Amino acid sequence: MIMKKMKFALVLVCSTALHLCTLAQDNFPDGTPIPEWFRQNDRTDIKKLGQQYRITDYNVVKDSNVVQTEKMQAVINKAAEKGGVVVIPKGTFLSGSLFFKQGTHLYLEEGARLKGSDDISNFPIVPTRIEGQTVKYFAALVNADGVDGFSISGKGTIDGNGLRYWKAFWLRRQFNPNCTNMDEMRPRLLYISNSKNVQVSGLKLINSPFWTNHFYKCENVKLLDLYIYSPEKPVKAPSTDAVDIDVCKNFLIKNCYMSVNDDAVALKGGKGPLADKDENNGGNFNIVIEDCTYGFCHGALTLGSESIHNRNIVLRRIKINHAQRLLWLKMRTDTPQNYEYVRVEDIEGSDIGSFLYIRPWAQFFDLKGEKRLIKSSGSHITMRNIKVGCDAVFKVDKVAESETFEYRLSDFRFENLALQAKQEAKIDTSIVKDFKLTNVIVNGEKVQ
């Protein structure tokens, strides 16, 4: 009995020591500790958020065919007077843009559906942020600006009702192949700006006409247990990125499912030859995406296309299927960029197009009359503990040098990789300065 107790105590001590060691080693790629905030992920308890304002108690009716924007906004405004939670009960409610204010929250009960109007006139044109620029454009379905402690939660659905917008976009592309994403008028699903301590949890966010979740100049944001979806067929949902992180700091995406017809998580921040001089622009710092599952997407983690600086980016413990790219660095040819300290680790998956994809990105290229040389870089990129099947391992262009643009790649690490490549298995280490491979197996053979 004594020996059993001693063994149990020894196991307990070892287990505790291992746990503490694991926490001690939980660092960002540049070596700084990941704060405890990233591990405190309690779900939203609306009972602690003040009075509940059930929209059907304020003349909002369950009717999927009647746009009730003004009535729902009136409930939000009333909740803002003393603070509280706007509750959407079971049923479908059709709306245009809604604007949440300081002290308000949104909760969707199980079976509740907030559905966006497919008439763009129900979405006002406002000063906003889109595609790396600050412009006047259409508001999202759900909007919040300058709020602290805002939450959206529940077990319901926010449905962008995007089919009509998608069809219109592809029809315009047939008429004008050079049209931009913004030329066809369509709203985003969720847009939160200039805010902090934001949490979105538990919901289904589907069928967005444009980007699904867009956060601009936000700090301390958590997306937890979300189902984010838009179709790739039969009608492709164009540019329906799952999450766009735009000039943000301390951002966690955890336990989410993402399947969209564009990038799953895209880091934004500005574009143009003077983007780094514009106070509206900026970098993204301390971003963690973990314990997520991916369906179809263009890129599981994409840095760009409108982005100037990203540092301490972690993608870990994910399962992925049918992504066109695992890690994608878009090197925009008209914008100075610095992508640094990125770590992708503990990944399992199959049917991936490219394991690593780095190439110049020239869509809607515009130097705006500037003639200076654009210099960009990608450095301290680590991909480790990954077992996936892909078409190509290393789709990376050689260093581009021209009169207007060049980029440099350095300090890459591939560690403990078991890859099955259907087409291109070669890793050209000459493209990257200081590229180290440790225990990298491709198609059963060790790569030196």
Side-chain angles (χ1 to χ4, degrees):
M1 179 64 71
I2 294 175
M3 289 299 295
K4 288 184 177 180
K5 288 184 177 179
M6 290 178 63
K7 288 182 179 179
F8 176 77
L10 181 60
V11 169
L12 182 61
V13 169
C14 291
S15 176
T16 302
L18 180 61
H19 177 68
L20 292 173
C21 182
T22 300
L23 290 180
Q25 294 176 348
D26 194 14
N27 296 331
F28 284 113
D30 71 356
T32 58
I34 296 179
E36 182 62 23
W37 176 86
F38 283 88
R39 291 180 286 275
Q40 297 172 344
N41 298 313
D42 294 335
R43 302 306 179 256
T44 303
D45 183 356
I46 64 170
K47 295 178 182 179
K48 298 179 181 180
L49 298 177
Q51 183 176 340
Q52 295 180 21
Y53 297 81
R54 197 175 183 86
I55 62 172
T56 47
D57 293 340
Y58 298 90
N59 300 317
V60 180
V61 298
K62 296 180 182 180
D63 194 325
S64 61
N65 297 309
V66 178
V67 178
Q68 300 182 82
T69 311
E70 292 184 3
K71 289 182 178 180
M72 282 191 269
Q73 186 64 52
V75 181
I76 297 170
N77 295 345
K78 187 172 183 62
E81 293 174 3
K82 296 181 180 180
V85 185
V86 176
V87 177
I88 299 181
K90 183 178 179 179
T92 299
F93 301 87
L94 192 64
S95 181
S97 294
L98 299 172
F99 298 87
F100 286 80
K101 303 177 180 181
Q102 179 61 38
T104 63
H105 304 267
L106 175 61
Y107 182 83
L108 290 90
E109 294 181 346
E110 188 170 3
R113 183 179 296 260
L114 175 61
K115 189 174 183 180
S117 167
D118 62 4
D119 181 349
I120 192 61
S121 68
N122 289 305
F123 299 86
I125 296 175
V126 296
T128 189
R129 176 78 170 187
I130 193 74
E131 291 202 328
Q133 53 193 326
T134 302
V135 295
K136 288 186 176 181
Y137 194 68
F138 298 95
L141 174 58
V142 176
N143 304 267
D145 179 67
V147 294
D148 184 355
F150 178 59
S151 70
I152 306 174
S153 61
K155 296 183 179 180
T157 299
I158 302 179
D159 183 350
N161 193 23
L163 182 60
R164 185 174 179 180
Y165 296 103
W166 307 332
K167 288 181 175 179
F169 177 86
W170 294 119
L171 188 62
R172 182 183 286 266
R173 272 284 167 93
Q174 289 182 34
F175 171 71
N176 176 17
N178 296 319
C179 78
T180 70
N181 287 327
M182 294 169 58
D183 286 339
E184 182 55 43
M185 303 180 292
R186 50 198 177 124
R188 290 153 290 177
L189 195 72
L190 172 65
Y191 176 63
I192 299 178
S193 55
N194 303 298
S195 299
K196 57 184 179 180
N197 302 313
V198 175
Q199 182 163 303
V200 184
S201 61
L203 301 166
K204 292 182 179 179
L205 306 171
I206 64 173
N207 298 329
S208 181
F210 201 178
W211 294 354
T212 306
N213 298 280
H214 182 193
F215 295 85
Y216 171 60
K217 285 195 173 181
C218 290
E219 185 173 346
N220 295 348
V221 177
K222 292 180 179 178
L223 307 186
L224 308 174
D225 305 308
L226 299 173
Y227 176 91
I228 304 172
Y229 174 80
S230 62
E232 61 164 315
K233 57 186 178 182
V235 178
K236 291 182 179 180
S239 304
T240 49
D241 303 3
V243 184
D244 288 286
I245 302 172
D246 191 355
V247 194
C248 293
K249 181 180 180 181
N250 296 338
F251 203 111
L252 174 66
I253 304 174
K254 186 178 181 68
N255 291 331
C256 293
Y257 175 80
M258 293 176 275
S259 182
V260 294
N261 189 57
D262 210 315
D263 297 325
V265 179
L267 305 186
K268 307 288 186 177
K271 64 179 179 181
L274 300 177
D276 54 343
K277 310 298 182 185
D278 188 338
E279 63 181 9
N280 293 309
N281 299 332
N284 297 293
F285 306 100
N286 301 348
I287 314 297
V288 177
I289 307 117
E290 63 183 14
D291 304 312
C292 294
T293 301
Y294 287 71
F296 177 80
C297 61
H298 292 186
L301 173 60
T302 301
L303 281 61
S305 55
E306 307 94 23
S307 192
I308 55 177
H309 188 198
N310 299 299
R311 182 186 176 102
N312 278 340
I313 314 301
V314 177
L315 176 69
R316 63 184 180 183
R317 300 194 304 269
I318 70 166
K319 294 183 179 180
I320 187 166
N321 181 46
H322 199 34
Q324 292 182 346
R325 301 160 190 88
L326 176 56
L327 176 61
W328 188 1
L329 307 187
K330 293 181 177 178
M331 310 306 295
R332 191 176 180 98
T333 55
D334 59 4
T335 302
Q337 298 166 314
N338 180 15
Y339 302 154
E340 58 177 350
Y341 294 101
V342 179
R343 187 170 70 231
V344 179
E345 62 184 349
D346 302 322
I347 312 293
E348 293 182 2
S350 61
D351 197 20
I352 296 171
S354 297
F355 179 74
L356 176 62
Y357 194 93
I358 307 175
R359 288 183 170 177
W361 179 266
Q363 186 180 51
F364 310 123
F365 172 84
D366 186 1
L367 279 175
K368 299 182 178 180
E370 293 288 328
K371 296 182 179 179
R372 67 176 184 145
L373 177 66
I374 302 296
K375 294 184 178 181
S376 294
S377 63
S379 64
H380 298 95
I381 311 295
T382 297
M383 303 182 77
R384 68 187 188 189
N385 306 333
I386 300 173
K387 182 179 180 180
V388 298
C390 57
D391 291 335
V393 174
F394 196 72
K395 290 288 255 186
V396 180
D397 276 4
K398 292 184 178 180
V399 174
E401 294 186 6
S402 68
E403 293 182 358
T404 59
F405 173 69
E406 69 178 31
Y407 68 86
R408 293 285 186 270
L409 304 175
S410 65
D411 300 286
F412 280 33
R413 302 289 182 268
F414 279 6
E415 303 171 359
N416 301 325
L417 306 182
L419 311 178
Q420 290 292 325
K422 295 178 182 177
Q423 299 173 9
E424 298 180 40
K426 184 180 179 181
I427 300 175
D428 187 352
T429 57
S430 69
I431 295 177
V432 179
K433 182 181 179 182
D434 191 10
F435 193 165
K436 293 184 179 179
L437 279 62
T438 304
N439 191 28
V440 175
I441 309 297
V442 180
N443 293 341
E445 297 185 3
K446 188 172 183 179
V447 180
Q448 301 293 339

